[in-house]
Amino acid sequence: MNRRRRAAPLGLALALTCIAALFAGCGSRLTQQSIADAARRPIERGAAASGTANGQQGSPVGAAGTTTTTSSGADDGSTPTTSAAGSGGSNTSANAGSPGGSAASSAGTAGGQANLSTINLGNVGTYSGVIGAVFSGAQQSLEVWEAYTNAHGGLNGHPVHVYFEDDGGDPSTSATDVQQEVTRDHVIAFVGNLMPLTVSASVPYLQQQNIPVIGGDASSVEWWQSPILFPQASGINGENDITIKAAVAKGDTKMGLLYCIEDATCTNAYTQLIQQGGAKADGVNPVYVASYSITQPDLTAQCLDAKQAGATFVYFAGDGDSLIRMSNDCAAQGYNPVYEADSIAVDASVASDSHLNGLLSAQTNFPWVDAYTPAQQLYQQAVKQYDATLVGSASTSAEWASGQLAVAADKYLTANPTSAEFLQGLWSIKNNNLGGLAPPLTFTQGSPATMSNCYFLMTLQNGTFTDLNKGNTQCD
Protein backbone atom coordinates (compact mmCIF):
# COMPACT_ATOMS: atom_id res chain seq x y z
CA MET A 1 0.00 0.00 0.00
CA ASN A 2 1.32 3.41 -0.91
CA ARG A 3 -0.55 6.46 0.38
CA ARG A 4 -0.10 9.22 -2.16
CA ARG A 5 0.87 12.74 -1.15
CA ARG A 6 1.33 15.51 -3.70
CA ALA A 7 2.79 18.96 -3.29
CA ALA A 8 0.11 21.54 -3.92
CA PRO A 9 0.47 23.80 -6.97
CA LEU A 10 1.51 27.21 -5.67
CA GLY A 11 -1.60 29.07 -6.80
CA LEU A 12 -3.94 26.43 -5.39
CA ALA A 13 -2.11 26.21 -2.09
CA LEU A 14 -2.12 29.98 -1.68
CA ALA A 15 -5.85 30.09 -2.32
CA LEU A 16 -6.52 27.29 0.16
CA THR A 17 -4.35 28.92 2.80
CA CYS A 18 -6.17 32.22 2.42
CA ILE A 19 -9.57 30.56 2.65
CA ALA A 20 -8.52 28.58 5.71
CA ALA A 21 -7.34 31.81 7.34
CA LEU A 22 -10.63 33.52 6.54
CA PHE A 23 -12.65 30.89 8.37
CA ALA A 24 -10.20 30.30 11.22
CA GLY A 25 -11.62 33.10 13.35
CA CYS A 26 -11.93 36.88 13.66
CA GLY A 27 -8.72 38.84 13.99
CA SER A 28 -6.52 36.10 12.51
CA ARG A 29 -3.85 37.43 10.15
CA LEU A 30 -1.17 35.65 8.12
CA THR A 31 2.03 37.32 7.00
CA GLN A 32 3.09 37.07 3.37
CA GLN A 33 5.96 34.82 4.46
CA SER A 34 3.68 32.43 6.36
CA ILE A 35 1.38 32.20 3.35
CA ALA A 36 4.31 31.39 1.08
CA ASP A 37 5.61 28.78 3.52
CA ALA A 38 2.22 27.13 3.73
CA ALA A 39 1.94 27.05 -0.05
CA ARG A 40 5.13 25.01 -0.27
CA ARG A 41 4.06 22.38 2.26
CA PRO A 42 2.72 19.11 0.84
CA ILE A 43 -0.95 18.43 1.24
CA GLU A 44 -1.38 15.77 3.91
CA ARG A 45 -4.00 13.40 2.55
CA GLY A 46 -4.34 11.75 5.95
CA ALA A 47 -5.33 15.03 7.60
CA ALA A 48 -8.78 15.13 6.08
CA ALA A 49 -12.07 14.96 7.85
CA SER A 50 -12.66 11.67 9.60
CA GLY A 51 -15.78 10.11 10.93
CA THR A 52 -17.54 6.82 10.82
CA ALA A 53 -18.02 4.73 7.73
CA ASN A 54 -20.88 5.58 5.42
CA GLY A 55 -21.33 9.18 6.26
CA GLN A 56 -20.84 10.61 9.72
CA GLN A 57 -19.74 14.20 10.02
CA GLY A 58 -16.01 14.81 9.60
CA SER A 59 -13.62 17.54 10.67
CA PRO A 60 -14.42 21.24 10.27
CA VAL A 61 -14.50 22.70 6.80
CA GLY A 62 -11.40 24.56 5.69
CA ALA A 63 -8.93 23.02 8.11
CA ALA A 64 -5.43 24.18 7.25
CA GLY A 65 -3.26 21.56 5.56
CA THR A 66 -6.05 19.92 3.58
CA THR A 67 -7.47 20.60 0.15
CA THR A 68 -10.91 21.25 1.59
CA THR A 69 -12.13 24.74 0.75
CA THR A 70 -15.24 26.79 1.15
CA SER A 71 -16.71 29.51 -1.00
CA SER A 72 -19.18 32.16 0.01
CA GLY A 73 -18.87 34.19 -3.18
CA ALA A 74 -20.96 33.99 -6.30
CA ASP A 75 -20.14 31.63 -9.13
CA ASP A 76 -18.04 33.16 -11.88
CA GLY A 77 -20.71 32.34 -14.41
CA SER A 78 -18.80 29.67 -16.28
CA THR A 79 -20.75 26.74 -14.91
CA PRO A 80 -23.15 25.48 -17.58
CA THR A 81 -26.82 25.82 -16.76
CA THR A 82 -28.24 25.11 -20.18
CA SER A 83 -28.61 21.96 -22.21
CA ALA A 84 -25.41 20.95 -23.95
CA ALA A 85 -25.72 21.51 -27.66
CA GLY A 86 -24.16 18.96 -29.94
CA SER A 87 -23.32 16.50 -27.19
CA GLY A 88 -23.58 13.70 -29.70
CA GLY A 89 -24.86 10.19 -29.47
CA SER A 90 -28.30 10.67 -28.08
CA ASN A 91 -28.24 14.50 -28.03
CA THR A 92 -29.93 14.32 -24.66
CA SER A 93 -30.21 17.61 -22.79
CA ALA A 94 -27.98 17.18 -19.78
CA ASN A 95 -26.19 19.65 -17.61
CA ALA A 96 -22.62 18.96 -16.69
CA GLY A 97 -22.96 17.63 -13.22
CA SER A 98 -26.73 17.79 -12.90
CA PRO A 99 -28.85 14.66 -12.85
CA GLY A 100 -30.83 14.00 -15.96
CA GLY A 101 -30.39 17.47 -17.36
CA SER A 102 -32.24 19.20 -14.53
CA ALA A 103 -31.24 22.54 -13.05
CA ALA A 104 -27.61 22.72 -12.06
CA SER A 105 -26.73 20.91 -8.85
CA SER A 106 -25.15 22.58 -5.86
CA ALA A 107 -21.63 22.14 -7.22
CA GLY A 108 -22.45 24.53 -10.01
CA THR A 109 -25.03 26.79 -8.41
CA ALA A 110 -24.20 30.47 -8.26
CA GLY A 111 -23.52 31.50 -4.69
CA GLY A 112 -23.45 27.86 -3.52
CA GLN A 113 -21.54 27.30 -0.29
CA ALA A 114 -19.88 24.07 0.82
CA ASN A 115 -20.48 24.45 4.55
CA LEU A 116 -21.88 21.08 5.60
CA SER A 117 -19.93 18.04 6.82
CA THR A 118 -17.05 16.82 4.66
CA ILE A 119 -17.65 13.86 2.36
CA ASN A 120 -14.72 11.45 2.20
CA LEU A 121 -14.20 9.85 -1.20
CA GLY A 122 -11.65 7.19 -2.09
CA ASN A 123 -9.50 6.65 -5.14
CA VAL A 124 -7.50 3.49 -5.74
CA GLY A 125 -5.44 3.24 -8.91
CA THR A 126 -2.40 1.67 -10.50
CA TYR A 127 -0.03 4.62 -10.38
CA SER A 128 3.26 2.72 -10.24
CA GLY A 129 4.67 -0.47 -11.73
CA VAL A 130 4.75 -1.45 -15.38
CA ILE A 131 1.54 0.30 -16.43
CA GLY A 132 1.60 3.14 -13.90
CA ALA A 133 2.88 5.71 -16.38
CA VAL A 134 -0.22 5.18 -18.52
CA PHE A 135 -2.25 7.07 -15.92
CA SER A 136 0.08 10.04 -15.59
CA GLY A 137 -1.83 13.16 -14.57
CA ALA A 138 -4.87 11.27 -13.34
CA GLN A 139 -4.46 12.19 -9.68
CA GLN A 140 -3.73 15.80 -10.60
CA SER A 141 -6.94 15.93 -12.60
CA LEU A 142 -9.00 14.57 -9.72
CA GLU A 143 -7.37 17.09 -7.37
CA VAL A 144 -8.34 19.87 -9.77
CA TRP A 145 -11.91 18.55 -9.71
CA GLU A 146 -11.83 18.43 -5.89
CA ALA A 147 -10.60 22.02 -5.63
CA TYR A 148 -13.08 23.35 -8.18
CA THR A 149 -16.01 21.47 -6.66
CA ASN A 150 -15.25 22.67 -3.16
CA ALA A 151 -15.05 26.25 -4.40
CA HIS A 152 -18.45 25.92 -6.12
CA GLY A 153 -20.76 24.41 -3.54
CA GLY A 154 -19.27 20.96 -3.01
CA LEU A 155 -21.58 17.99 -3.36
CA ASN A 156 -25.01 19.28 -2.36
CA GLY A 157 -23.33 21.65 0.08
CA HIS A 158 -20.72 19.17 1.34
CA PRO A 159 -17.02 19.79 0.67
CA VAL A 160 -15.21 16.69 -0.56
CA HIS A 161 -11.88 15.16 0.35
CA VAL A 162 -10.30 12.47 -1.84
CA TYR A 163 -7.98 9.83 -0.39
CA PHE A 164 -5.53 8.29 -2.89
CA GLU A 165 -3.98 4.83 -2.84
CA ASP A 166 -1.58 3.18 -5.30
CA ASP A 167 -2.13 -0.56 -5.70
CA GLY A 168 0.88 -1.04 -8.00
CA GLY A 169 -1.17 -3.37 -10.17
CA ASP A 170 -1.40 -6.02 -7.44
CA PRO A 171 -4.92 -7.42 -6.81
CA SER A 172 -4.24 -8.25 -3.15
CA THR A 173 -2.90 -4.76 -2.47
CA SER A 174 -5.86 -3.26 -4.29
CA ALA A 175 -8.39 -5.17 -2.20
CA THR A 176 -6.59 -4.13 0.99
CA ASP A 177 -6.42 -0.49 -0.10
CA VAL A 178 -10.14 -0.39 -0.81
CA GLN A 179 -11.08 -1.95 2.53
CA GLN A 180 -8.75 0.35 4.48
CA GLU A 181 -10.13 3.45 2.81
CA VAL A 182 -13.58 2.35 3.94
CA THR A 183 -12.66 1.34 7.49
CA ARG A 184 -9.87 3.83 8.24
CA ASP A 185 -10.70 6.84 6.06
CA HIS A 186 -14.48 6.35 6.21
CA VAL A 187 -15.09 6.91 2.51
CA ILE A 188 -18.69 6.51 1.38
CA ALA A 189 -17.89 6.16 -2.32
CA PHE A 190 -14.93 5.77 -4.65
CA VAL A 191 -14.36 8.06 -7.60
CA GLY A 192 -12.20 7.60 -10.70
CA ASN A 193 -10.60 4.24 -9.81
CA LEU A 194 -8.00 3.47 -12.51
CA MET A 195 -7.31 -0.22 -11.96
CA PRO A 196 -7.49 -2.25 -15.20
CA LEU A 197 -5.57 -5.18 -13.69
CA THR A 198 -7.20 -5.19 -10.27
CA VAL A 199 -10.81 -3.99 -10.49
CA SER A 200 -12.28 -7.42 -9.75
CA ALA A 201 -10.32 -7.83 -6.52
CA SER A 202 -12.46 -5.46 -4.47
CA VAL A 203 -15.88 -5.98 -6.08
CA PRO A 204 -17.11 -8.68 -3.63
CA TYR A 205 -16.29 -6.47 -0.63
CA LEU A 206 -17.83 -3.36 -2.17
CA GLN A 207 -20.98 -5.27 -3.09
CA GLN A 208 -21.21 -6.58 0.47
CA GLN A 209 -20.83 -3.07 1.86
CA ASN A 210 -23.01 -1.52 -0.87
CA ILE A 211 -20.44 1.17 -1.66
CA PRO A 212 -20.37 2.57 -5.22
CA VAL A 213 -17.38 3.13 -7.48
CA ILE A 214 -18.18 6.26 -9.48
CA GLY A 215 -16.16 6.15 -12.68
CA GLY A 216 -12.70 4.90 -13.51
CA ASP A 217 -10.69 3.30 -16.31
CA ALA A 218 -13.72 1.39 -17.66
CA SER A 219 -11.30 -0.69 -19.71
CA SER A 220 -12.56 -4.19 -18.94
CA VAL A 221 -15.91 -5.94 -19.12
CA GLU A 222 -16.09 -6.10 -15.31
CA TRP A 223 -17.23 -2.48 -15.31
CA TRP A 224 -20.51 -3.59 -16.87
CA GLN A 225 -20.98 -6.71 -14.74
CA SER A 226 -21.42 -5.38 -11.19
CA PRO A 227 -24.24 -3.17 -9.86
CA ILE A 228 -21.82 -1.17 -7.68
CA LEU A 229 -19.59 -0.11 -10.60
CA PHE A 230 -20.73 3.03 -12.42
CA PRO A 231 -18.54 3.62 -15.51
CA GLN A 232 -18.46 7.18 -16.86
CA ALA A 233 -17.23 6.08 -20.29
CA SER A 234 -18.22 4.13 -23.37
CA GLY A 235 -17.82 0.38 -23.71
CA ILE A 236 -14.38 -0.86 -24.69
CA ASN A 237 -15.13 -2.87 -27.83
CA GLY A 238 -16.62 -0.11 -29.96
CA GLU A 239 -13.60 2.15 -29.43
CA ASN A 240 -11.62 -0.06 -31.81
CA ASP A 241 -14.42 -0.23 -34.36
CA ILE A 242 -15.01 3.53 -34.56
CA THR A 243 -11.32 4.21 -35.15
CA ILE A 244 -10.89 1.47 -37.76
CA LYS A 245 -13.97 2.58 -39.67
CA ALA A 246 -12.46 6.05 -39.84
CA ALA A 247 -9.40 4.51 -41.52
CA VAL A 248 -11.59 2.60 -43.96
CA ALA A 249 -13.34 5.85 -44.87
CA LYS A 250 -9.93 7.20 -45.88
CA GLY A 251 -9.18 4.15 -48.05
CA ASP A 252 -6.89 2.21 -45.67
CA THR A 253 -7.92 -1.46 -45.50
CA LYS A 254 -4.71 -3.40 -44.74
CA MET A 255 -4.27 -3.35 -40.98
CA GLY A 256 -1.36 -4.16 -38.73
CA LEU A 257 -2.20 -4.70 -35.05
CA LEU A 258 0.29 -4.28 -32.24
CA TYR A 259 -0.93 -4.82 -28.68
CA CYS A 260 0.75 -4.78 -25.29
CA ILE A 261 0.76 -7.83 -23.04
CA GLU A 262 0.52 -6.00 -19.71
CA ASP A 263 -2.88 -4.32 -19.85
CA ALA A 264 -6.33 -5.82 -20.33
CA THR A 265 -7.23 -2.89 -22.57
CA CYS A 266 -4.51 -3.94 -25.00
CA THR A 267 -5.26 -7.65 -25.04
CA ASN A 268 -8.94 -6.90 -25.43
CA ALA A 269 -8.13 -5.28 -28.79
CA TYR A 270 -6.59 -8.55 -29.97
CA THR A 271 -9.53 -10.57 -28.68
CA GLN A 272 -12.16 -8.35 -30.21
CA LEU A 273 -10.50 -7.48 -33.50
CA ILE A 274 -8.82 -10.77 -34.35
CA GLN A 275 -10.26 -13.66 -32.37
CA GLN A 276 -13.83 -12.41 -32.64
CA GLY A 277 -13.45 -11.12 -36.20
CA GLY A 278 -14.14 -7.47 -35.45
CA ALA A 279 -11.51 -6.17 -37.85
CA LYS A 280 -12.90 -8.01 -40.85
CA ALA A 281 -16.43 -6.96 -39.90
CA ASP A 282 -15.20 -3.35 -39.95
CA GLY A 283 -13.98 -3.82 -43.52
CA VAL A 284 -10.23 -4.32 -43.08
CA ASN A 285 -7.83 -7.18 -43.65
CA PRO A 286 -5.53 -7.78 -40.66
CA VAL A 287 -2.33 -8.62 -42.51
CA TYR A 288 -0.05 -8.42 -39.48
CA VAL A 289 -0.65 -9.10 -35.79
CA ALA A 290 1.92 -9.09 -32.97
CA SER A 291 2.25 -8.40 -29.26
CA TYR A 292 4.88 -6.31 -27.49
CA SER A 293 5.90 -5.38 -23.95
CA ILE A 294 5.66 -1.86 -22.54
CA THR A 295 9.22 -2.38 -21.25
CA GLN A 296 10.50 -3.26 -24.74
CA PRO A 297 13.13 -0.67 -25.77
CA ASP A 298 13.06 -1.28 -29.53
CA LEU A 299 10.25 -2.13 -31.96
CA THR A 300 12.25 -2.31 -35.18
CA ALA A 301 11.47 -5.99 -35.72
CA GLN A 302 7.73 -5.32 -35.55
CA CYS A 303 8.13 -2.41 -37.97
CA LEU A 304 9.93 -4.55 -40.53
CA ASP A 305 7.39 -7.35 -40.25
CA ALA A 306 4.42 -4.97 -40.61
CA LYS A 307 6.09 -3.33 -43.61
CA GLN A 308 6.77 -6.70 -45.20
CA ALA A 309 3.14 -7.73 -44.68
CA GLY A 310 1.95 -4.60 -46.49
CA ALA A 311 0.05 -2.97 -43.62
CA THR A 312 -1.01 0.53 -44.70
CA PHE A 313 -2.08 1.44 -41.19
CA VAL A 314 -1.20 0.18 -37.74
CA TYR A 315 -3.71 -0.06 -34.91
CA PHE A 316 -1.66 0.38 -31.77
CA ALA A 317 -3.17 -0.93 -28.54
CA GLY A 318 -0.73 0.22 -25.92
CA ASP A 319 0.94 3.14 -24.17
CA GLY A 320 1.99 6.49 -25.61
CA ASP A 321 5.72 6.09 -24.97
CA SER A 322 5.80 2.80 -26.89
CA LEU A 323 3.76 4.32 -29.70
CA ILE A 324 6.39 7.05 -30.08
CA ARG A 325 9.18 4.46 -30.03
CA MET A 326 7.46 2.46 -32.75
CA SER A 327 6.81 5.44 -35.02
CA ASN A 328 10.45 6.48 -34.81
CA ASP A 329 11.79 2.94 -35.26
CA CYS A 330 9.52 2.44 -38.27
CA ALA A 331 10.49 5.77 -39.82
CA ALA A 332 14.15 4.76 -39.52
CA GLN A 333 13.29 1.77 -41.70
CA GLY A 334 11.52 3.88 -44.30
CA TYR A 335 8.11 2.71 -43.12
CA ASN A 336 5.53 5.42 -42.40
CA PRO A 337 2.08 3.91 -42.02
CA VAL A 338 -0.96 5.76 -40.70
CA TYR A 339 -1.30 5.08 -36.98
CA GLU A 340 -4.43 4.51 -34.97
CA ALA A 341 -4.37 4.15 -31.22
CA ASP A 342 -6.43 3.23 -28.19
CA SER A 343 -7.42 6.27 -26.15
CA ILE A 344 -5.04 5.12 -23.41
CA ALA A 345 -2.05 5.78 -25.72
CA VAL A 346 -2.93 9.35 -26.56
CA ASP A 347 -1.56 12.23 -24.52
CA ALA A 348 0.14 15.55 -25.15
CA SER A 349 3.59 13.98 -25.60
CA VAL A 350 2.39 12.13 -28.68
CA ALA A 351 1.56 15.40 -30.46
CA SER A 352 5.22 16.39 -30.80
CA ASP A 353 6.08 13.31 -32.88
CA SER A 354 5.93 14.28 -36.56
CA HIS A 355 5.85 10.62 -37.60
CA LEU A 356 2.41 10.33 -36.01
CA ASN A 357 0.82 13.00 -38.18
CA GLY A 358 -2.64 11.79 -39.18
CA LEU A 359 -3.08 9.65 -36.05
CA LEU A 360 -6.68 8.68 -35.32
CA SER A 361 -8.03 7.73 -31.91
CA ALA A 362 -11.50 7.20 -30.53
CA GLN A 363 -12.01 8.49 -27.00
CA THR A 364 -14.39 7.06 -24.44
CA ASN A 365 -14.64 10.44 -22.70
CA PHE A 366 -14.38 13.98 -24.02
CA PRO A 367 -11.22 15.02 -25.89
CA TRP A 368 -9.33 17.31 -23.53
CA VAL A 369 -7.93 19.38 -26.42
CA ASP A 370 -10.98 21.43 -27.42
CA ALA A 371 -13.91 23.06 -25.67
CA TYR A 372 -17.01 22.79 -27.81
CA THR A 373 -19.52 22.49 -24.96
CA PRO A 374 -19.90 24.52 -21.74
CA ALA A 375 -18.95 21.43 -19.73
CA GLN A 376 -15.72 21.03 -21.68
CA GLN A 377 -15.00 24.74 -21.27
CA LEU A 378 -15.44 24.33 -17.52
CA TYR A 379 -12.76 21.62 -17.49
CA GLN A 380 -10.34 23.87 -19.35
CA GLN A 381 -11.08 26.74 -16.98
CA ALA A 382 -10.62 24.61 -13.86
CA VAL A 383 -7.27 23.27 -15.05
CA LYS A 384 -6.07 26.77 -15.85
CA GLN A 385 -7.20 28.04 -12.45
CA TYR A 386 -6.10 25.21 -10.17
CA ASP A 387 -3.20 23.42 -11.88
CA ALA A 388 -1.94 24.82 -15.16
CA THR A 389 0.87 22.23 -15.13
CA LEU A 390 -1.59 19.41 -15.78
CA VAL A 391 -0.86 17.63 -19.07
CA GLY A 392 -4.09 16.50 -20.67
CA SER A 393 -4.74 12.90 -21.65
CA ALA A 394 -7.49 10.30 -21.81
CA SER A 395 -6.79 9.65 -18.12
CA THR A 396 -7.30 13.27 -17.07
CA SER A 397 -10.58 13.38 -19.02
CA ALA A 398 -11.71 10.15 -17.38
CA GLU A 399 -11.01 11.51 -13.89
CA TRP A 400 -12.76 14.81 -14.50
CA ALA A 401 -15.78 13.05 -16.00
CA SER A 402 -15.84 10.66 -13.02
CA GLY A 403 -15.90 13.60 -10.65
CA GLN A 404 -18.70 15.26 -12.59
CA LEU A 405 -20.65 12.00 -12.48
CA ALA A 406 -20.39 12.22 -8.69
CA VAL A 407 -21.80 15.76 -8.94
CA ALA A 408 -24.66 14.47 -11.07
CA ALA A 409 -25.45 11.93 -8.35
CA ASP A 410 -25.38 14.33 -5.38
CA LYS A 411 -29.00 15.46 -5.21
CA TYR A 412 -30.09 12.95 -2.53
CA LEU A 413 -27.17 13.62 -0.17
CA THR A 414 -28.52 14.79 3.18
CA ALA A 415 -26.83 16.53 6.11
CA ASN A 416 -25.30 13.15 7.03
CA PRO A 417 -24.52 11.65 3.62
CA THR A 418 -24.33 7.91 3.09
CA SER A 419 -23.37 5.44 0.40
CA ALA A 420 -27.04 4.58 -0.02
CA GLU A 421 -27.83 8.21 -0.86
CA PHE A 422 -25.09 8.24 -3.48
CA LEU A 423 -26.54 5.08 -4.97
CA GLN A 424 -30.00 6.62 -5.09
CA GLY A 425 -28.59 9.56 -7.04
CA LEU A 426 -26.70 7.32 -9.44
CA TRP A 427 -29.79 5.23 -10.15
CA SER A 428 -31.66 8.40 -11.09
CA ILE A 429 -29.26 9.09 -13.99
CA LYS A 430 -30.86 8.26 -17.34
CA ASN A 431 -29.40 9.04 -20.76
CA ASN A 432 -27.20 11.79 -19.29
CA ASN A 433 -24.01 12.73 -21.17
CA LEU A 434 -22.78 15.15 -18.48
CA GLY A 435 -23.05 18.06 -20.86
CA GLY A 436 -20.73 16.53 -23.47
CA LEU A 437 -18.13 14.95 -21.18
CA ALA A 438 -19.34 11.40 -21.70
CA PRO A 439 -21.53 9.19 -23.83
CA PRO A 440 -25.17 8.92 -22.70
CA LEU A 441 -25.10 7.24 -19.27
CA THR A 442 -27.93 5.20 -17.77
CA PHE A 443 -27.95 3.35 -14.46
CA THR A 444 -30.66 1.16 -12.93
CA GLN A 445 -31.07 -0.03 -9.36
CA GLY A 446 -29.74 -3.53 -8.78
CA SER A 447 -28.39 -3.93 -12.33
CA PRO A 448 -25.02 -3.45 -14.00
CA ALA A 449 -24.53 -0.27 -16.00
CA THR A 450 -25.95 -0.02 -19.51
CA MET A 451 -23.04 -0.04 -21.94
CA SER A 452 -22.85 2.85 -24.40
CA ASN A 453 -21.38 2.47 -27.88
CA CYS A 454 -20.93 6.19 -28.60
CA TYR A 455 -17.44 7.72 -28.84
CA PHE A 456 -15.52 10.91 -29.44
CA LEU A 457 -12.95 10.90 -32.27
CA MET A 458 -9.63 12.75 -32.32
CA THR A 459 -6.98 13.22 -34.98
CA LEU A 460 -3.46 14.62 -34.93
CA GLN A 461 -2.61 17.12 -37.65
CA ASN A 462 0.66 19.04 -37.78
CA GLY A 463 1.35 18.70 -34.09
CA THR A 464 -2.16 19.59 -32.92
CA PHE A 465 -4.94 17.32 -31.73
CA THR A 466 -8.40 18.08 -33.04
CA ASP A 467 -11.82 16.83 -32.03
CA LEU A 468 -13.14 15.63 -35.39
CA ASN A 469 -16.78 15.74 -34.31
CA LYS A 470 -16.63 19.11 -32.52
CA GLY A 471 -17.95 17.97 -29.16
CA ASN A 472 -20.28 15.30 -30.54
CA THR A 473 -20.04 11.56 -30.23
CA GLN A 474 -20.64 9.05 -32.97
CA CYS A 475 -22.15 5.66 -32.29
CA ASP A 476 -21.05 2.29 -33.55
Side-chain angles (χ1 to χ4, degrees):
M1 178 183 68
N2 179 17
R3 292 185 67 75
R4 306 285 294 188
R5 293 186 174 99
R6 182 186 305 282
L10 180 59
L12 173 56
L14 283 171
L16 298 178
T17 305
C18 293
I19 293 170
L22 178 63
F23 286 88
C26 295
S28 176
R29 292 287 187 272
L30 293 178
T31 66
Q32 289 298 319
Q33 184 59 50
S34 64
I35 292 173
D37 291 342
R40 293 179 174 84
R41 286 197 295 268
I43 296 173
E44 286 289 335
R45 283 300 186 193
S50 61
T52 24
N54 291 338
Q56 293 299 321
Q57 182 171 345
S59 65
V61 176
T66 76
T67 55
T68 301
T69 65
T70 61
S71 173
S72 59
D75 196 311
D76 57 15
S78 63
T79 304
T81 57
T82 59
S83 300
S87 55
S90 81
N91 290 324
T92 301
S93 295
N95 262 310
S98 60
S102 62
S105 69
S106 60
T109 302
Q113 188 173 2
N115 56 8
L116 301 177
S117 59
T118 298
I119 290 177
N120 293 339
L121 300 177
N123 175 273
V124 177
T126 302
Y127 302 119
S128 64
V130 175
I131 70 168
V134 168
F135 300 128
S136 176
Q139 292 169 295
Q140 279 179 274
S141 182
L142 201 54
E143 287 173 339
V144 167
W145 170 80
E146 176 184 355
Y148 180 87
T149 299
N150 286 342
H152 293 78
L155 295 178
N156 212 19
H158 296 269
V160 296
H161 184 92
V162 182
Y163 289 87
F164 292 92
E165 297 290 348
D166 175 13
D167 67 16
D170 178 68
S172 177
T173 299
S174 188
T176 299
D177 287 345
V178 166
Q179 291 189 38
Q180 289 194 353
E181 286 204 337
V182 173
T183 58
R184 176 195 60 207
D185 302 323
H186 313 296
V187 306
I188 64 172
F190 289 81
V191 60
N193 282 4
L194 301 176
M195 44 203 310
L197 307 181
T198 59
V199 62
S200 297
S202 57
V203 166
Y205 173 77
L206 292 170
Q207 288 183 167
Q208 181 186 51
Q209 299 297 318
N210 217 26
I211 296 174
V213 178
I214 305 172
D217 62 273
S219 63
S220 58
V221 294
E222 284 85 355
W223 280 92
W224 287 269
Q225 293 177 342
S226 170
I228 52 87
L229 299 179
F230 295 86
Q232 85 299 337
S234 311
I236 52 176
N237 290 348
E239 177 181 347
N240 307 324
D241 295 323
I242 288 289
T243 313
I244 289 173
K245 288 176 180 177
V248 172
K250 296 172 60 177
D252 293 315
T253 58
K254 293 184 177 181
M255 182 186 79
L257 171 65
L258 202 65
Y259 64 96
C260 74
I261 59 176
E262 288 88 356
D263 190 343
T265 306
C266 307
T267 54
N268 176 75
Y270 169 74
T271 300
Q272 190 257 328
L273 293 175
I274 306 304
Q275 291 185 324
Q276 297 176 357
K280 290 185 177 180
D282 291 335
V284 300
N285 180 20
V287 297
Y288 173 72
V289 179
S291 62
Y292 82 98
S293 172
I294 290 174
T295 62
Q296 189 172 329
D298 187 273
L299 293 163
T300 299
Q302 285 85 348
C303 293
L304 291 172
D305 289 344
K307 180 180 180 181
Q308 180 66 30
T312 58
F313 78 96
V314 172
Y315 191 97
F316 192 88
D319 64 300
D321 289 342
S322 297
L323 174 60
I324 292 172
R325 286 200 302 277
M326 181 177 188
S327 70
N328 283 276
D329 291 343
C330 289
Q333 303 303 317
Y335 179 48
N336 294 285
V338 174
Y339 290 93
E340 298 192 347
D342 277 349
S343 59
I344 199 172
V346 180
D347 59 27
S349 66
V350 171
S352 62
D353 186 354
S354 61
H355 303 306
L356 293 174
N357 194 48
L359 173 76
L360 289 166
S361 179
Q363 301 287 303
T364 57
N365 282 117
F366 69 102
W368 69 94
V369 295
D370 291 311
Y372 286 104
T373 71
Q376 293 171 1
Q377 293 167 14
L378 189 150
Y379 165 80
Q380 300 285 355
Q381 172 198 321
V383 169
K384 182 178 180 180
Q385 181 176 0
Y386 292 102
D387 190 352
T389 68
L390 178 63
V391 178
S393 67
S395 295
T396 66
S397 290
E399 295 301 85
W400 179 266
S402 296
Q404 292 301 82
L405 178 55
V407 176
D410 76 355
K411 67 179 181 179
Y412 293 107
L413 298 177
T414 63
N416 294 297
T418 65
S419 301
E421 291 167 353
F422 251 132
L423 286 168
Q424 187 178 4
L426 288 161
W427 295 330
S428 74
I429 293 172
K430 308 295 181 186
N431 216 26
N432 187 342
N433 61 18
L434 304 179
L437 301 178
L441 304 176
T442 295
F443 306 116
T444 303
Q445 182 173 354
S447 299
T450 301
M451 186 180 292
S452 172
N453 65 341
C454 298
Y455 304 83
F456 302 88
L457 186 62
M458 289 173 55
T459 188
L460 178 62
Q461 294 292 338
N462 301 318
T464 301
F465 281 116
T466 301
D467 179 354
L468 279 174
N469 294 322
K470 300 183 186 305
N472 296 321
T473 54
Q474 64 185 77
C475 302
D476 182 39

